[in-house]
Amino acid sequence: MKFGENKDWDREHILSSKSVIYKITDKVKDFRKQGFSMTDSAFYNLGVNDYHDYISTWESYSPVYRNLQPSGIVSYDNLVYNNIFDDKYLFYIVFSSFVNTPKIFSLIYDGKITDVVDSFDSNHLYESLLSLNGGVIKYRSGANGFGIYVFDVYNNRLFYNNREISHDDLAEIVSKFKFGIIQEKIVQGKFAKSLFEKTINTIRIISIRSKNGVEHEIVAAIQRIGTNRSAPVDNFAQGGGCSIIDLETGVLGTVGRITENGPMFSDNHPDTGKTIKGLIVPNWDEIKSAIIGLTRKLPFFCYAAWDVVVCDDGITIIEINKRSSLDVFQIHKGFRNELLGQRYKENGWLVDF
């Protein structure tokens, strides 16, 4: 059964999910009746913290269902454009006209490569990646940073996660992908790189359209920061850190992350010791304006979660998502009574506890 076909099945599937990082124990309080997965109950320390302050796991999926419904502009528009969220190649085709996005060179079907850029030669994939100073192979759709291979070049040799890769290794990686893409490796700016140089450190920005309008508003943002555990990606689900961005000033807060022993917080990076709290995202107002400008290009959606890389000459959009896991935000505090929760409530996405 596919997600969106049966809400009862979706709810049971979602609330039964477990974290791959944090071991769920008998000490974790069960708030599944209130819509929280066991993982989120552990992350939010429910039972000590009041669950009324948090947007539940199940409520976080409400925008997905709304985006699957006609928007009122054209009866079928969301059913057509919704695929942009799910297909990274389609996203690239649509949004590369408006903003910097990672260039896609090839598609992978059942382990076989089809080039979509004439200048890229997948018949000599190893050499092609060397000439580009690296690249990325990942699923055409997917989440949480799983199944992503980021290749670097040192001394004219290819490496993945600090391990040298041979021609045969590369061929084996490609063979695993039923639906994949080969794309360029983004060069992040000095600020993003300074947070943790072993990963691309992305910002997740959530925008929501007003209930009776067409204009989006930025309602939450967080800086994801890679760690030794999460490398070569920055994803929170794989042990990366996260710092809330003040929407007005662009100032970063405390770094939160998940360990085997539960949530951990610090003003500094857990591996490098660099002070993160208090740093300011450069050109924050321009970044916000750029995101709002992009929402006007496709006004059909009520909700979008944008993955942004801050570069020295602007921004690069990695992808957009039709929902955002809120644990990366709410590990710090409940957002039910914050701006994000207020907009959820106005759109009818919250359930009365």
Side-chain angles (χ1 to χ4, degrees):
M1 185 175 295
K2 295 182 179 180
F3 185 86
E5 294 179 345
N6 184 299
K7 278 193 175 183
D8 291 335
W9 183 89
D10 291 344
R11 191 178 193 277
E12 179 63 26
H13 178 71
I14 290 166
L15 299 188
S16 298
S17 64
K18 298 290 196 306
S19 168
V20 298
I21 296 175
Y22 180 50
K23 184 178 180 181
I24 303 298
T25 69
D26 294 338
K27 294 181 180 180
V28 175
K29 302 294 184 180
D30 189 347
F31 282 86
R32 281 176 290 183
K33 288 184 179 179
Q34 289 77 27
F36 294 89
S37 69
M38 293 297 287
T39 293
D40 282 349
S41 293
F43 288 176
Y44 307 155
N45 196 19
L46 299 185
V48 174
N49 295 324
D50 189 347
Y51 73 85
H52 292 91
D53 294 332
Y54 294 81
I55 299 171
S56 75
T57 313
W58 178 238
E59 289 169 331
S60 75
Y61 280 83
S62 297
V64 177
Y65 290 101
R66 181 63 62 86
N67 276 340
L68 287 171
Q69 299 171 359
S71 68
I73 299 174
V74 179
S75 62
Y76 58 82
D77 50 23
N78 279 357
L79 301 179
V80 174
Y81 292 108
N82 191 68
N83 291 326
I84 295 173
F85 289 111
D86 298 320
D87 192 314
K88 293 177 175 60
Y89 182 51
L90 183 57
F91 163 77
Y92 166 71
I93 291 174
V94 173
F95 274 91
S96 60
S97 299
F98 308 125
V99 68
N100 288 331
T101 62
K103 181 179 290 185
I104 293 178
F105 302 113
S106 304
L107 304 177
I108 304 175
Y109 289 96
D110 292 325
K112 299 178 178 62
I113 303 175
T114 299
D115 295 332
V116 294
V117 174
D118 291 339
S119 60
F120 190 83
D121 183 8
S122 60
N123 291 321
H124 300 89
L125 180 58
Y126 191 99
E127 290 73 18
S128 295
L129 292 177
L130 287 180
S131 69
L132 293 167
N133 200 35
V136 178
I137 297 179
K138 60 184 180 181
Y139 289 106
R140 214 174 70 203
S141 62
N144 293 328
F146 295 101
I148 296 179
Y149 293 84
V150 181
F151 300 100
D152 299 302
V153 175
Y154 303 108
N155 298 322
N156 204 36
R157 293 179 295 173
L158 204 61
F159 287 77
Y160 164 67
N161 207 14
N162 295 320
R163 182 174 69 87
E164 186 173 358
I165 296 295
S166 68
H167 287 74
D168 291 341
D169 292 331
L170 185 59
E172 183 179 354
I173 289 171
V174 170
S175 70
K176 297 177 181 178
F177 282 82
K178 185 174 180 62
F179 300 105
I181 57 174
I182 302 175
Q183 65 180 188
E184 70 173 323
K185 186 178 67 174
I186 296 302
V187 178
Q188 62 187 338
K190 294 178 181 178
F191 170 79
K193 185 177 182 179
S194 74
L195 300 175
F196 188 67
E197 64 178 11
K198 295 181 183 179
T199 64
I200 300 294
N201 302 297
T202 60
I203 295 175
R204 168 64 59 88
I205 296 176
I206 298 177
S207 68
I208 296 179
R209 191 181 68 209
S210 60
K211 184 176 181 180
N212 299 313
V214 296
E215 187 78 2
H216 274 239
E217 175 186 15
I218 292 175
V219 296
I222 200 151
Q223 175 71 63
R224 292 185 291 205
I225 305 167
T227 64
N228 286 336
R229 178 162 191 169
S230 71
V233 295
D234 64 352
N235 294 74
F236 176 75
Q238 296 203 45
C242 57
S243 178
I244 293 175
I245 301 174
D246 183 278
L247 292 183
E248 293 299 321
T249 64
V251 174
L252 302 187
T254 299
V255 179
R257 61 192 174 97
I258 293 296
T259 70
E260 296 91 339
N261 298 317
M264 300 289 289
F265 301 94
S266 173
D267 293 346
N268 306 318
H269 191 281
D271 299 317
T272 67
K274 176 184 174 64
T275 300
I276 302 297
K277 183 178 180 180
L279 295 179
I280 302 174
V281 178
N283 303 313
W284 178 238
D285 287 340
E286 288 82 355
I287 292 172
K288 291 188 293 183
S289 296
I291 295 299
I292 294 301
L294 289 172
T295 67
R296 298 186 182 118
K297 307 299 183 184
L298 286 174
F300 316 109
F301 306 120
C302 62
Y303 179 108
W306 306 81
D307 287 345
V308 180
V309 178
V310 180
C311 303
D312 290 336
D313 58 351
I315 61 172
T316 294
I317 306 295
I318 300 294
E319 63 185 30
I320 55 173
N321 304 272
K322 57 188 172 186
R323 68 170 290 272
S324 176
S325 177
L326 296 183
D327 52 10
V328 69
F329 292 89
Q330 294 191 133
I331 185 180
H332 294 276
K333 62 178 181 178
F335 269 70
R336 195 177 191 88
N337 300 312
E338 302 289 326
L339 179 60
L340 176 63
Q342 293 170 16
R343 296 299 177 260
Y344 266 61
K345 184 176 182 180
E346 290 171 5
N347 278 280
W349 298 340
L350 297 183
V351 177
D352 291 331
F353 288 131

